[in-house]
């Protein structure tokens, strides 16, 4: 299913002014990596720019931005800032470096009220890269709408574009991969992919904000099936040739990914390809922050709630804290290579 009108309007995140300083600090921190001596044998065509993992991910050096405004997609969530999320135990790191981003399972909410959740965005922005995200689990269940995506931090949506790598609602069993953009951008793919094509109009206008999209066919790509398989890796390569996405269930993660020397040419048929043939990728997608969030109901999970086979109404499901035990992102790491 493609999100219907307005529903896709996930607004660009204003990055805190301090992000500029964090950027500089990060660049200094990674300068050694960026300028490794050329006489070294090149183990990979890609150089690590950022690896977000463990304490380093949330609190210490990298300082992801916690978005705490009302949900631009009308979800019944109250996004917490970093201090509140930490105090409520909704953003934690365990001794194995697994980062948990959870929805509140403690409070009873009135019908139509908001449940606490988190939405975080990366301190740095990107104009290309090879992004590798390893999750052990994603939020799953009636009312939930989790997403792992990137969006322009400098332009006003849909300009600057949005790349949705993981997204789905309620009891969906397949992941949807979507691009949203400003005018004159379509999906024109002739290469083999493992997903079904959902729509080819990436531009919000005249595309009514639906985006160009693929639905994966592997039930391990989303929700219960993803979690049952202990998750896996979503990797995407974004460059001037387009955006190409691969999915590897836990048992199938290539050893070059685990070793930190990724070689996409060895990864086989992608889940999705958005080539530059129907869209000038660089002028439509730029200055992207990485975003990870969990909303509830809202513009997509709300209208799709009943047809998903969920009980009662979406507002009722939000009220009951016991419904959100599985509403957790378990993040092993997110790496960005250039
Ligand atoms: C759980 O809820 C109670 C009352 O609603 C509140 O006082 C308490 O701080 C909450 N605990 C957490 C960890 O959020
Ligand atoms: C956790 O990550 C840090 C880097 O942020 C690393 O130094 C440490 O060895 C990791 N610990 C475990 C248990 O993997
Ligand atoms: C859970 O995973 C096991 C294999 O690890 C598989 O046999 C089973 O069918 C899966 N169940 C669901 C509901 O995906
Ligand atoms: C580097 O890229 C070339 C050309 O795309 C490819 O043939 C080769 O396998 C890559 N090597 C590694 C180590 O990634
Ligand atoms: C679609 O891509 C193919 C090459 O893959 C190209 O020949 C064709 O002109 C493109 N069509 C449009 C409408 O851009
Ligand atoms: C909350 O949800 C659980 C499981 O969905 C259900 O068993 C319980 O009766 C519900 N409680 C209320 C007060 O609705």
């Amino acid at each position: 299913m493609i999100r219907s009108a307005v529903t896709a309007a996930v607004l660009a995140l204003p990055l805190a002014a301090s992000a500029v300083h964090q950027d500089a600090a990060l660049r200094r921190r990674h300068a050694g990596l960026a300028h490794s001596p050329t006489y070294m044998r090149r183990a990979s065509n890609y150089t690590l720019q950022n690896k977000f993992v463990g304490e380093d991910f949330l609190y210490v050096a990298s300082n992801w931005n916690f978005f705490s405004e009302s949900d631009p997609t009308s979800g019944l969530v109250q996004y917490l800032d970093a201090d509140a999320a930490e105090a409520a135990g909704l953003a934690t790191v365990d001794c194995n470096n697994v980062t948990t981003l959870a929805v509140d399972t403690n409070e009873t909410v009135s019908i139509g009220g908001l449940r606490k959740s988190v939405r975080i965005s990366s301190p740095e922005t990107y104009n290309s890269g090879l992004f590798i995200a390893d999750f052990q689990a994603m939020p799953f269940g009636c009312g939930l709408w989790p997403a792992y995506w990137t969006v322009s931090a400098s332009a006003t949506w849909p300009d600057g574009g949005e790349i949705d790598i993981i997204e789905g609602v309620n009891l969906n069993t397949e992941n949807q991969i979507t691009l949203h953009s400003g005018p004159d951008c379509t999906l024109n793919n002739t290469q083999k992919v493992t997903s079904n094509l959902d729509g080819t109009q990436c531009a919000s206008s005249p595309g009514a904000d639906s985006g160009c999209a693929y639905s994966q066919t592997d039930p391990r790509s989303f929700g219960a099936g993803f979690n049952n398989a202990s998750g896996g890796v979503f990797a995407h390569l974004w460059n001037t040739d387009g955006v190409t996405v691969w999915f590897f269930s836990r048992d199938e993660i290539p050893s070059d990914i685990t070793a930190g020397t990724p070689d996409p040419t060895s990864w086989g048929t992608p889940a999705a390809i958005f080539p530059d043939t129907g869209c000038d990728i660089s002028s439509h997608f730029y200055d992207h922050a990485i975003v990870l969030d969990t909303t509830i109901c809202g513009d997509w999970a709300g209208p799709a709630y009943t047809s998903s086979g969920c009980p009662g109404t979406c507002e009722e499901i939000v009220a009951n804290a016991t419904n959100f035990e599985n509403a957790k992102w378990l993040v092993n790491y997110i790496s960005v290579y250039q």
Side-chain angles (χ1 to χ4, degrees):
M1 281 236 4
I2 300 188
R3 287 179 291 184
S4 55
V6 204
T7 64
V10 223
L11 303 178
L13 290 167
L15 291 177
S18 66
V20 175
H21 303 293
Q22 290 160 9
D23 256 21
L26 273 167
R27 272 196 297 273
R28 277 195 300 279
R29 225 171 118 239
H30 292 282
L33 291 169
H35 303 290
S36 36
T38 46
Y39 56 79
M40 278 175 63
R41 190 168 156 270
R42 217 176 160 78
S44 168
N45 290 334
Y46 295 92
T47 302
L48 186 65
Q49 180 180 0
N50 302 120
K51 182 167 185 174
F52 300 109
V53 62
E55 282 295 334
D56 197 32
F57 188 159
L58 282 178
Y59 301 117
V60 184
S62 54
N63 255 328
W64 283 52
N65 299 291
F66 281 69
F67 177 84
S68 57
E69 323 253 311
S70 59
D71 179 11
T73 60
S74 320
L76 296 180
V77 288
Q78 179 197 348
Y79 284 132
L80 300 185
D81 64 27
D83 290 343
E86 192 176 10
L90 300 188
T92 59
V93 178
D94 73 12
C95 58
N96 293 315
N97 276 345
V98 177
T99 300
T100 299
L101 302 173
V103 170
D104 171 72
T105 54
N106 175 42
E107 293 176 5
T108 299
V109 166
S110 60
I111 305 277
L114 309 181
R115 181 163 294 284
K116 289 170 180 157
S117 183
V118 289
R119 166 170 161 161
I120 63 172
S121 69
S122 62
E124 291 203 59
T125 58
Y126 308 90
N127 288 290
S128 65
L130 175 60
F131 300 76
I132 299 184
D134 185 321
F135 302 107
Q136 272 183 41
M138 66 172 75
F140 167 70
C142 285
L144 290 166
W145 173 5
Y148 160 60
W149 47 296
T150 72
V151 67
S152 183
S154 65
T156 301
W157 198 94
D159 291 337
E162 173 182 327
I163 302 172
D164 301 317
I165 301 297
I166 301 179
E167 195 177 18
V169 295
N170 300 312
L171 303 176
N172 281 179
T173 54
E174 287 96 24
N175 180 48
Q176 183 177 305
I177 301 167
T178 309
L179 258 53
H180 297 279
S181 74
D184 301 321
C185 176
T186 59
L187 170 51
N188 170 37
N189 181 43
T190 53
Q191 300 164 74
K192 194 168 175 243
V193 292
T194 60
S195 305
N196 294 322
L197 185 62
D198 279 348
T200 57
Q201 183 54 265
C202 312
S204 280
S205 176
D209 288 342
S210 295
C212 51
Y214 292 94
S215 285
Q216 292 191 244
T217 54
D218 187 337
R220 299 172 304 174
S221 65
F222 193 80
F226 181 84
N227 295 349
N228 178 53
S230 303
V233 163
F234 283 86
H236 71 283
L237 180 60
W238 166 25
N239 57 28
T240 53
D241 296 336
V243 177
T244 304
V245 185
W246 290 265
F247 166 65
F248 306 105
S249 192
R250 178 67 49 205
D251 292 346
E252 296 165 2
I253 299 171
S255 56
D256 57 297
I257 286 185
T258 313
T261 53
D263 177 11
T265 61
S266 69
W267 292 347
T269 309
I273 304 179
F274 301 86
D276 66 345
T277 54
C279 180
D280 179 25
I281 295 292
S282 344
S283 66
H284 286 85
F285 299 88
Y286 51 87
D287 298 338
H288 277 207
I290 305 168
V291 188
L292 204 49
D293 73 67
T294 309
T295 189
I296 315 175
C297 305
D299 296 329
W300 188 13
Y305 185 83
T306 306
S307 61
S308 297
C310 289
T313 67
C314 208
E315 289 75 14
E316 285 164 6
I317 212 93
V318 179
N320 189 335
T322 63
N323 294 326
F324 296 92
E325 298 293 343
N326 295 321
K328 288 181 171 65
W329 285 102
L330 299 184
V331 187
N332 284 337
Y333 66 85
I334 298 175
S335 288
V336 184
Y337 295 84
Q338 295 293 343

